[in-house]
Amino acid sequence: MGQVKVLVTGAGGFIGHHLVRHLKEQGYWVRGVDVKAPQYEDSAADQYFRFDLRDQQNCHLATLGDIEEVYALAADMGGMGYITANDAKILHDNTLINVNTIEAARRNGVTRYLYASSACVYPEHLQETPDIAPLREEDAYPAQPQDAYGWEKLIAERLCQYYTQDYGLETRIARFHNVFGPLGTWDGGREKAPAAICRKVAYAKLTGDPVVEIWGDGQQTRSFCYIDDCVTGLYKLMRSDYGEPLNLGQDRMVTISELAHLVAEIAGIEIELVHVDGPQGVRGRNSDNTRLREVLGWEPEISLEDGLRRTYAWIEDQLRERLGLETAQVA
Ligand code: NAD
């Protein structure tokens, strides 16, 4: 028997790039598809296509050739700054990507399809205080996501479930909660809070200016999942027989200010937080991992401190390079 062929869409993005490498390590033949190449290192994929997956014909070509499984990660997305400023584009583009990719997968005989959803599907009214209860999968309904990004994810989840019901395509749905790690976008406007904070703290360290700007009062809470745990969970979920949406995240909630101080401790500097206006998203959010443990017999295990250490080291190196500093120049 030959190698099982899998497709990863969004393979040029943060999670997709790491997932391709993980799947190669598991012995799969991997095709990566994305509008762009990975930004920081070459893809480990056996084959890599630069396709715009909003287009039906491109989705057909992407899923052609005995592809058995699809990890559908392609999406127009970014941190709160990006998401809150691009509702129409996000809903429009991602809906096209989602409907065209799953339909092409079905037509071309794909047997399993995993969709990357998000904690952004959860209703806003359950996330109005920093000390909210962790979100259980069933809390998604009655639906009231905060923005278009959440609605798009919710519709795509339903699409997966109807494809299972009507066509027998096996689908898996992972609801990510703030994934972070090295090789993720760390500047330019699409970066998320952990990467942005690592960059700001690294800048403070390298320039000696202790000021670190935080959007809002810093009391908004989140949980953060390290990338290696995320790809391990994705793979386990694909191998499972569970077709309902499943949280994939850490369940340790911290405030954004705490996150900044953790990073500063790792960097070995004192920082001065300055609170500025900026989009903050919901006030509090955490993952309830009860079902994750039941279904996979596993949950993310890399600590926030450990993950931040690895992420910070990578971002500090990136920034040194950007500023034209030698790695050895600043101890
Ligand atoms: P990312 O932006 O790094 O990766 C997404 C990739 O999709 C990008 O490389 C982008 O070029 C590609 N893409 C966008 N439009 C495309 C198109 N028209 N055709 C082909 N490719 C296109 O984001 P990520 O963090 O790696 O996220 C991967 C998936 O996980 C996304 O679906 C995202 O919504 C979901 N998710 C991520 C997080 C997180 O914390 N990173 C949280 C919740 C959900």
Side-chain angles (χ1 to χ4, degrees):
M1 220 180 90
Q3 271 176 307
V4 174
K5 292 184 168 184
V6 302
L7 164 66
V8 176
T9 77
F14 168 49
I15 301 173
H17 178 69
H18 284 273
L19 179 64
V20 166
R21 199 179 48 220
H22 186 73
L23 292 170
K24 283 304 301 168
E25 286 163 8
Q26 308 303 311
Y28 290 87
W29 183 94
V30 183
R31 174 184 294 159
V33 174
D34 200 298
V35 272
K36 64 177 177 70
Q39 201 176 344
Y40 306 107
E41 63 177 28
D42 289 344
S43 176
D46 296 279
Q47 192 175 48
Y48 196 93
F49 293 151
R50 295 270 297 268
F51 283 160
D52 184 338
L53 293 173
R54 289 173 300 181
D55 181 87
Q56 224 170 6
Q57 180 64 12
N58 285 343
C59 288
H60 169 65
L61 295 173
T63 50
L64 206 59
D66 301 322
I67 295 290
E68 288 186 34
E69 300 181 354
V70 174
Y71 291 84
L73 271 60
D76 183 9
M77 68 101 60
M80 275 329 293
Y82 184 78
I83 285 178
T84 52
N86 293 281
D87 282 310
K89 185 175 183 314
I90 285 174
L91 184 51
H92 175 269
D93 289 357
N94 291 343
T95 300
L96 287 178
I97 295 172
N98 298 336
V99 297
N100 288 329
T101 308
I102 196 168
E103 175 61 7
R106 176 185 81 84
R107 285 176 183 266
N108 285 323
V110 166
T111 55
R112 279 187 192 205
Y113 188 94
L114 185 148
Y115 177 64
S117 185
S118 166
C120 291
V121 299
Y122 289 111
E124 200 169 2
H125 68 85
L126 295 180
Q127 306 173 77
E128 284 171 346
T129 57
D131 59 345
I132 51 101
L135 295 155
R136 298 164 306 170
E137 285 78 358
E138 56 270 33
D139 291 334
Y141 295 97
Q144 188 222 351
Q146 190 181 48
D147 41 45
Y149 177 69
W151 283 108
E152 166 254 314
K153 292 290 185 196
L154 213 47
I155 284 293
E157 289 188 357
R158 301 302 285 199
L159 192 66
C160 287
Q161 295 183 291
Y162 291 130
Y163 266 63
T164 304
Q165 175 192 294
D166 294 353
Y167 303 126
L169 173 62
E170 284 211 45
T171 57
R172 310 281 179 262
I173 299 162
R175 288 184 185 154
F176 296 144
H177 289 249
N178 301 304
V179 185
F180 73 102
L183 309 180
T185 304
W186 59 276
D187 70 344
R190 283 186 190 242
E191 67 278 17
K192 298 174 152 211
I197 287 174
C198 285
R199 184 197 68 226
K200 289 174 185 179
V201 171
Y203 192 81
K205 176 173 170 180
L206 298 177
T207 61
D209 175 358
V211 169
V212 168
E213 286 188 353
I214 297 284
W215 288 352
D217 66 1
Q219 295 310 301
Q220 61 273 37
T221 52
R222 294 292 186 276
S223 68
F224 298 95
C225 178
Y226 189 64
I227 183 66
D228 291 5
D229 275 333
C230 173
V231 296
T232 301
L234 277 179
Y235 182 62
K236 284 179 183 289
L237 178 58
M238 184 66 118
R239 300 269 57 83
S240 79
D241 60 2
Y242 194 71
E244 302 291 319
L246 192 65
N247 283 333
L248 178 48
Q250 275 281 9
D251 58 2
R252 172 177 165 201
M253 195 164 69
V254 296
T255 67
I256 296 296
S257 292
E258 280 166 352
L259 187 72
H261 285 296
L262 273 176
V263 175
E265 213 176 298
I266 288 165
I269 61 165
E270 297 281 327
I271 54 169
E272 192 184 308
L273 289 187
V274 172
H275 300 281
V276 296
D277 277 348
Q280 299 167 50
V282 292
R283 194 68 180 143
R285 175 176 289 161
N286 194 10
S287 175
D288 183 319
N289 284 353
T290 310
R291 188 150 313 142
L292 178 65
R293 284 189 291 269
E294 277 167 18
V295 171
L296 300 185
W298 169 92
E299 68 184 312
E301 44 205 23
I302 298 164
S303 72
L304 181 58
E305 286 77 1
D306 217 4
L308 284 175
R309 242 186 304 280
R310 300 184 213 178
T311 309
Y312 177 79
W314 180 78
I315 290 178
E316 192 188 297
D317 274 355
Q318 295 289 308
L319 188 64
R320 280 178 194 280
E321 209 171 300
R322 174 78 51 85
L323 298 175
L325 299 173
E326 293 293 327
T327 306
Q329 204 172 318
V330 186

